[in-house]
Amino acid sequence: MSTPPVILLLSGSLRAGSSNESVLRTAQAVAPPGVRTVRYDGLARLPHFNPDHDTDPLPADVAELRTAIAAAAAVLICTPEYAGTLPGSFKNLLDWTVGGTEICDKPTAWVNAAAPGRGQGAEDTLRTVLGYTGADIVEPACVRIPVDRGMLDADGVITDTEAREQLGTALEALIRRRRADS
């Protein structure tokens, strides 16, 4: 029996009730059959990036992040925009990936959950930083799904059928790219 491919879900938000977390909870609920999703929850524990510490042995939390990325078949990101770019804590996470090769050539995409007209700065920064890491950006899986609080159930999962279908299609695009590369 083969091991199901894993899509690593990375949130750029530290806020428990964020729209970004809702998108990722929904991604877990709509993942295609035979695909496993894993939400990374170590964002708040990562040390500030310091190139002097980007050597073996890596700080434990950085090693955990890189191991999670290496074990994944693909990566899906959902991050807010803050002051026209990525939140500092998430940029810090991405900075820790630049010195490794774990995300290089890995199918990667993002979901922009911001209201219409917002979030472009975060997308632009993601595209730039992921370019430095060598991630394989899967354009059809990079989608905008504006999340309104009225779309969520009590557990913070999106109930809107169209949004759920769009997210499922994005996950399928990530896995298709991974299978095509295998």
Side-chain angles (χ1 to χ4, degrees):
M1 183 177 351
S2 66
T3 304
V6 171
I7 298 177
L8 182 64
L9 307 175
L10 298 177
S11 176
S13 179
L14 291 171
R15 203 165 58 85
S18 76
S19 299
N20 304 281
E21 285 293 327
S22 292
V23 166
L24 297 181
R25 277 192 288 281
T26 306
Q28 289 182 298
V30 302
V35 173
R36 198 165 64 91
T37 57
V38 174
R39 281 185 23 219
Y40 173 75
D41 66 357
L43 179 62
R45 294 188 311 268
L46 288 172
H48 294 289
F49 177 73
N50 180 338
D52 291 338
H53 299 152
D54 195 6
T55 59
D56 287 328
L58 289 168
D61 291 319
V62 175
E64 176 188 327
L65 168 67
R66 287 189 179 176
T67 298
I69 293 170
V75 176
L76 181 67
I77 298 167
C78 191
T79 184
E81 179 178 87
Y82 186 75
T85 190
L86 297 172
S89 57
F90 194 68
K91 175 62 168 67
N92 183 61
L93 178 149
L94 293 174
D95 286 344
W96 279 114
T97 69
V98 172
T101 58
E102 297 81 9
I103 201 166
C104 186
D105 297 325
K106 180 114 16 200
T108 304
W110 57 81
V111 177
N112 181 338
R118 309 277 315 255
Q120 190 61 50
E123 283 189 42
D124 293 344
T125 305
L126 272 173
R127 185 174 301 283
T128 298
V129 176
L130 291 171
Y132 279 99
T133 67
D136 177 14
I137 298 172
V138 181
E139 296 296 340
C142 295
V143 296
R144 287 181 172 256
I145 303 175
V147 176
D148 174 286
R149 295 283 173 215
M151 299 168 63
L152 307 178
D153 67 14
D155 294 323
V157 175
I158 298 170
T159 58
D160 181 82
T161 304
E162 185 178 327
R164 290 172 68 90
E165 287 173 3
Q166 190 177 8
L167 189 52
T169 299
L171 292 170
E172 288 171 5
L174 272 174
I175 289 302
R176 265 195 313 278
R177 174 67 64 86
R178 182 258 180 190
R179 289 180 177 143
D181 292 344
S182 295

